[in-house]
Amino acid sequence: MSLIRASATIGGLTLISRVLGFARDMLMARFVGAGFASDAFLIAWRLPNLFRALFAEGAFSAAFVPMFNRTVAQGDAAAPETGLKAGLAFAEEVLSVLLPFLIAFTIVMMLAAGPIVWAMTGGFPDGGPEKFELATEYTRITFPYLMLISLVSLLGGILNSLNRFWVNAAAPILLNVCLIVGLVFFRGHSDVETARTQAIAVTVSGVMQLGWLVLACWQVGVRLRIRLPRLTPEVKTLLKLIGPAALGAGAVQFNLLISTTLAARFLPEGSVSYLYYADRLNQLPLGLIGIGVGTAMLPSLSRQLGGGDAKAAMDTQNRAIELVLLLTLPCTAGLMISATPLIRALLEHGAFNAADTFASAQALAAFSLGLPAYVLIKVLTPGFYARADTRTPVRIALIAMLVNLVLNLILIWPLAHVGLALSTAISAWVNAILLYWTLHRRAHFAIDPRLRRTGIRLIAATLAMAASLFVINPWIDPYSGRSLIERVVSISVMIAAAGVVYFGVVFGSGAYSVAGLKAQFRRKR
């Protein structure tokens, strides 16, 4: 599929998932708020979510998808009918090693939940032993999700390689559906009981996502058998690639974990929740744009480089950066300038009050400063992974993590939770700049004239949109905290007006044309 078409498929389904995620967060803010139980659940959820981002979705996909595609391509070169069989045989070898490891790892982490939570929070000095025990209990409930979602990632990598991107992209929808059902139909009489229901719903969603991927694989004739574990040369190669890729792909998640840990240890109650809600809004364009384009790019780059077509690979990355800048720059301006009305309209009701809105909006503005960098990281790292280089991104990620840690320790005292969000944004820019510089130095990537021209015009359009938001916000903000209809209408008017200004300048300046976008969407490689 064309890059735009595949990205649109992934991004569209991710949009549905994120919209449901916001519905879940609105319910969570209403029934749990931003305090004792909320902080405990979010700490518990951060651990499996971190390992999911590192191993299940980030590192595993980065290492497995290129190897699977190369195995299929080599088999096709020998005989067309043997390619997929060779790839599936490799996937079965991986599954035979992955499954027992995941079972053992999950058991160990559940038994060690107490010490792990204490290491992250220092026992919650602000909440005492009750809050610590609650976070430990929630962690034990949620951790099996890691094992389930790792198996989902294996099956999803196979389907992505077969150009069935939509199946894997739709799986996270089940997570949000389960959490919403838990909040609406099974919530308890207190915030503690409701948060416990959310923890149970996380693991239930893992079971449902695995069942969804298994069914989709069966429909295309993919049925993996579980063999006796065997470390074949190919599996050893995969394992060598996964370790570095985990650190490289999880730099942003590590930075968020560091921020969450510092907030739990040194900042007032509610700070963990402020960072969480701000990051949820910030993650919306990252999921729609960065992850969508990066996921769609990796199989294409692997095939192009495997076929010796470096020129096509470079063109693919240039067009991918064009696409993400077109969509990310207005999101950055919107989230930074209109953070308060957005947070108020989405979350301020029930247990979530005006002070929570103000604190979360400050964190959102700081996080959003790094949004283009977060997205560029997702687009630049496939340039390394497609060449079976998972070590370079990890070296760069470690530098960015060190920058984040130093800035956290400097900025947490004058700026509190906002300083932690700002540190994450700055470290993401360090990561993105070093990734680009390394690819350019190795002659693996260079900005072409078309991207340079388009980028300047997109920046001009973003500045025009930012100016319009400064004018619109004072008119919109008073309505963003009223009835549901007034909230929806006010935010819709704000987004529509800003969008008209932005895309008016984009198309008017010739940065993009409607006909050109349609042609790229329809084109197949």
Side-chain angles (χ1 to χ4, degrees):
M1 301 174 73
S2 74
L3 178 63
I4 291 182
R5 191 169 183 176
S7 300
T9 300
I10 299 168
L13 288 166
T14 303
L15 174 61
I16 296 173
S17 176
R18 295 303 168 96
V19 169
L20 289 172
F22 280 124
R24 177 199 79 201
D25 287 339
M26 292 170 69
L27 292 170
M28 183 82 171
R30 179 168 186 170
F31 296 124
V32 183
F36 181 87
S38 174
D39 284 357
F41 169 73
L42 294 176
I43 286 291
W45 175 225
R46 177 65 69 190
L47 278 171
N49 212 32
L50 169 66
F51 284 110
R52 173 195 58 78
L54 293 183
F55 299 112
E57 294 182 359
F60 186 83
S61 296
F64 175 77
V65 171
M67 287 190 69
F68 182 85
N69 276 283
R70 283 196 296 272
T71 303
V72 171
Q74 290 167 2
D76 284 342
E81 68 277 2
T82 63
L84 183 58
K85 290 182 180 179
L88 294 180
F90 168 63
E92 289 180 349
E93 293 171 354
V94 173
L95 177 62
S96 70
V97 174
L98 182 66
L99 183 58
F101 168 78
L102 287 172
I103 293 172
F105 182 74
T106 300
I107 292 172
V108 170
M109 294 300 289
M110 291 175 68
L111 292 174
I116 292 171
V117 171
W118 189 92
M120 289 181 63
T121 64
F124 283 107
D126 64 320
E130 292 180 356
K131 192 173 183 179
F132 169 72
E133 290 171 4
L134 201 61
T136 302
E137 176 194 346
Y138 293 165
T139 298
R140 291 196 177 103
I141 296 172
T142 59
F143 218 91
Y145 177 79
L146 169 64
M147 177 180 67
L148 297 164
I149 209 65
S150 297
L151 298 175
V152 166
S153 182
L154 170 64
L155 300 178
I158 295 172
L159 292 171
N160 285 348
S161 299
L162 300 177
N163 287 330
R164 294 179 65 85
F165 294 102
W166 73 273
V167 178
N168 197 35
I173 294 174
L174 295 172
L175 167 65
N176 290 314
V177 168
C178 286
L179 291 170
I180 289 171
V181 169
L183 283 167
V184 173
F185 297 105
F186 299 103
R187 68 178 183 272
H189 298 292
S190 67
D191 56 354
V192 171
E193 293 177 359
T194 301
R196 183 179 292 112
T197 300
Q198 288 294 88
I200 295 170
V202 167
T203 297
V204 171
S205 75
V207 176
M208 294 185 66
Q209 289 180 73
L210 180 58
W212 164 252
L213 267 292
V214 168
L215 179 61
C217 284
W218 284 0
Q219 289 177 341
V220 294
V222 174
R223 303 195 177 197
L224 301 184
R225 297 167 299 170
I226 299 177
R227 306 178 177 182
L228 290 174
R230 199 161 58 92
L231 288 175
T232 64
E234 292 78 14
V235 172
K236 289 180 181 178
T237 301
L238 179 70
L239 295 176
K240 289 178 182 177
L241 294 174
I242 284 178
L247 292 175
V252 172
Q253 292 294 328
F254 270 123
N255 289 339
L256 288 171
L257 178 63
I258 293 169
S259 300
T260 302
T261 300
L262 291 173
R265 282 176 174 264
F266 301 114
L267 296 181
E269 186 168 271
S271 297
V272 171
S273 298
Y274 302 148
L275 290 171
Y276 169 78
Y277 287 120
D279 181 55
R280 287 289 299 159
L281 263 174
N282 186 57
Q283 288 284 329
L284 178 61
L286 175 60
L288 267 61
I289 305 164
I291 296 174
V293 176
T295 302
M297 277 178 62
L298 186 54
S300 297
L301 280 178
S302 300
R303 287 191 290 267
Q304 289 164 349
L305 293 172
D309 196 348
K311 183 179 179 180
M314 192 173 294
D315 180 69
T316 295
Q317 282 200 286
N318 270 284
R319 303 293 74 78
I321 292 177
E322 263 185 17
L323 178 60
V324 299
L325 290 179
L326 170 69
L327 301 174
T328 303
L329 291 179
C331 293
T332 302
L335 291 177
M336 289 183 66
I337 297 169
S338 301
T340 298
L342 285 170
I343 293 283
R344 180 174 288 118
L346 290 170
L347 300 176
E348 189 180 306
H349 48 78
F352 199 94
N353 57 37
D356 298 330
T357 293
F358 181 70
S360 299
Q362 287 181 311
L364 175 58
F367 271 134
S368 300
L369 183 65
L371 183 55
Y374 307 140
V375 174
L376 286 172
I377 290 169
K378 296 295 184 182
V379 176
L380 292 170
T381 48
F384 295 93
Y385 296 152
R387 294 175 172 88
D389 178 7
T390 59
R391 295 187 178 275
T392 300
V394 73
R395 296 190 187 103
I396 293 172
L398 289 173
I399 294 172
M401 287 166 57
L402 180 61
V403 170
N404 179 66
L405 178 59
V406 171
L407 290 176
N408 275 336
L409 296 175
I410 293 173
L411 298 178
I412 187 174
W413 309 115
L415 300 177
H417 68 285
V418 180
L420 299 178
L422 185 60
S423 300
T424 303
I426 295 172
S427 67
W429 276 110
V430 171
N431 196 333
I433 290 169
L434 289 176
L435 286 171
Y436 166 76
W437 179 78
T438 304
L439 285 171
H440 182 73
R441 183 171 55 87
R442 295 177 178 179
H444 291 161
F445 178 71
I447 296 175
D448 62 18
R450 172 178 159 180
L451 175 56
R452 194 175 292 112
R453 289 193 305 269
T454 302
I456 293 172
R457 294 169 183 174
L458 292 178
I459 291 172
T462 303
L463 293 175
M465 190 194 98
S468 72
L469 285 173
F470 277 115
V471 176
I472 295 169
N473 277 352
W475 296 88
I476 293 297
D477 194 40
Y479 298 95
S480 63
R482 297 185 180 177
S483 67
L484 177 61
I485 294 177
E486 288 175 299
R487 291 173 190 241
V488 172
V489 171
S490 63
I491 295 302
S492 298
V493 168
M494 180 183 70
I495 293 173
V500 167
V501 172
Y502 177 74
F503 285 104
V505 177
V506 166
F507 295 130
S509 66
Y512 271 90
S513 68
V514 176
L517 283 174
K518 286 182 178 178
Q520 289 191 50
F521 184 82
R522 291 170 181 160
R523 183 181 66 198
K524 294 189 177 182
R525 295 186 180 277

